[in-house]
Structure formats: structure tokens, C-alpha cells
Amino acid sequence: MLEYVADGGGEGTAPIPGPTAEELLAQVGTGDRAAFGALYDATAARVFGLVRRLVVDPAQAEEVTQDVYLEIWQTAPRFDLARGSALTWMFTLAHRRAVDRIRASQAARERDLRIGARDLDVPVDTVAEAVEVRVEHERVQGALGELSELQRECVSLAYYGGLTQREISDRLEVPLGTVKTRLRDGMIRLRTALGVTT
């Protein structure tokens, strides 16, 4: 199913009116399997899209998405509409799970590196490495500062917020073409500011 979602299956079809995500989530909280299936069908593409942006490996992104929906099934009774929408709650779960997977993968890599480093007598300058990461972060922040406010807003929503161009258009209440232009121009300015040649 996730392959179908990842390939953008079903795009271009008119949405079928039905219960809201909040209504479905409330039904899932009572153990309604049909509501869970409907909730999955209605939200899986967006949840997987967010996870996929954070977890680069597609197989791991699918596993994380499965974990997210298992957590949704188990914790749906705890959803509180007063604290936010169903999608916000689900995206929060997805973001946390994705970050946990990234951290676990990074910890495993670091453990493997430590074990490998123990067997090698190659000096590693961790201070220089940390400084290099900080300098790169500052360069990106500086480059973002060179964008117009509108470009920075679109780029931030796309890359830090995990929103699609259509979602950005809806949130900012601007035409989709305007969002695409702002993103394109913003990325061109970022590449120039960072000295990236592609």
C-alpha cells in the first residue's frame, strides 16, 4: 500500500465526501477497524510524505509510517481535539517517530564508528568536525536570511514543515503557481549564496 501511496496513486481524482479526520480518529479510539482503514486511506500519503522527507531511506520511511499508524491505533483514545486537529496530532507522532529513527540510526553509525575507530589508529579531530557542522549550519542560516520574507516562508514550510506545494498554497492562501515560483527562486538564491553548482 505504501508503494501505491509513494507513487502518488489516486492523484487527480475528486475527493469523496465523508467523515473528517477528527471524526474518524474518535471512532478509531473506540476500536473501530473500518474507521481506522478510512483514516489510513485519507491520511497515509501525507504522513508518509512527511516521514519520507525526514527519513531518507524509503524502506525505513515505510517502517516508520507503519509504526506511526500502530501508535495511532493504540493511542487514539488520548487524542484531544482541544489541543489541535487530528492531522496535527498525527504529524506530531510521525515527526517524533521519524526523529527517533534518525537518532537510532545515527547512534548505530556512531557505535559502529567507535568500534571501527578502536581498531584503527587514525586520529579523529572531533572538535574540527563539530566546528565544520556549526559553520555549515550558520552558512545555511545566513543564506536563508538573504531570501525575501515570502521566499523564506515558502522554503521553511516545504523543508522544515514538510508541506507540499499545494499545502503551502492553501496555508498561505496564494495561487499554487506563486508558491512554485517562490520556491524555485528561493532555491536558486540559496544555491548561489551557498556556492552550490548543479
Side-chain angles (χ1 to χ4, degrees):
M1 179 63 178
L2 286 179
E3 289 174 7
Y4 175 78
V5 170
D7 292 338
E11 289 183 2
T13 59
I16 299 169
T20 66
E22 288 76 15
E23 292 167 338
L24 289 171
L25 198 52
Q27 293 170 8
V28 171
T30 66
D32 186 340
R33 291 174 185 249
F36 181 75
L39 180 68
Y40 178 88
D41 290 341
T43 61
R46 295 177 72 185
V47 171
F48 180 72
L50 171 63
V51 172
R52 183 69 173 86
R53 284 182 187 93
L54 298 169
V55 180
V56 179
D57 178 57
Q60 284 195 30
E62 289 182 4
E63 288 177 15
V64 170
T65 302
Q66 287 177 340
D67 291 344
V68 168
Y69 278 94
L70 177 61
E71 186 175 358
I72 289 168
W73 174 256
Q74 294 170 337
T75 62
R78 291 188 235 153
F79 168 68
D80 181 5
L81 183 57
R83 298 179 69 192
S85 72
L87 280 177
T88 299
W89 182 73
M90 293 170 69
F91 284 165
T92 301
L93 294 179
H95 188 269
R96 287 180 188 158
R97 284 279 179 170
V99 169
D100 288 347
R101 177 60 64 99
I102 292 166
R103 287 180 180 155
S105 295
Q106 186 175 3
R109 279 194 305 274
E110 289 172 359
R111 183 184 63 244
D112 291 344
L113 284 173
R114 280 195 306 274
I115 291 170
R118 183 183 61 205
D119 297 336
L120 292 174
D121 285 336
V122 178
V124 177
D125 189 349
T126 56
V127 173
E129 192 173 309
V131 168
E132 186 176 326
V133 168
R134 175 176 276 167
V135 166
E136 284 299 315
H137 177 73
E138 289 172 358
R139 283 185 65 214
V140 170
Q141 290 302 317
L144 281 171
E146 293 182 22
L147 301 180
S148 72
E149 181 65 32
L150 298 173
Q151 291 170 340
R152 185 171 40 255
E153 183 177 36
C154 285
V155 169
S156 294
L157 288 172
Y159 290 95
Y160 295 117
L163 299 182
T164 65
Q165 292 175 347
R166 171 71 60 200
E167 291 166 341
I168 294 169
S169 171
D170 292 344
R171 179 175 289 188
L172 300 180
E173 298 177 352
V174 296
L176 179 59
T178 302
V179 170
K180 290 181 178 184
T181 300
R182 289 177 187 172
L183 283 171
R184 184 195 68 229
D185 293 349
M187 293 307 296
I188 290 170
R189 288 182 71 180
L190 278 176
R191 281 191 208 106
T192 301
L194 293 171
V196 176
T197 56
T198 54

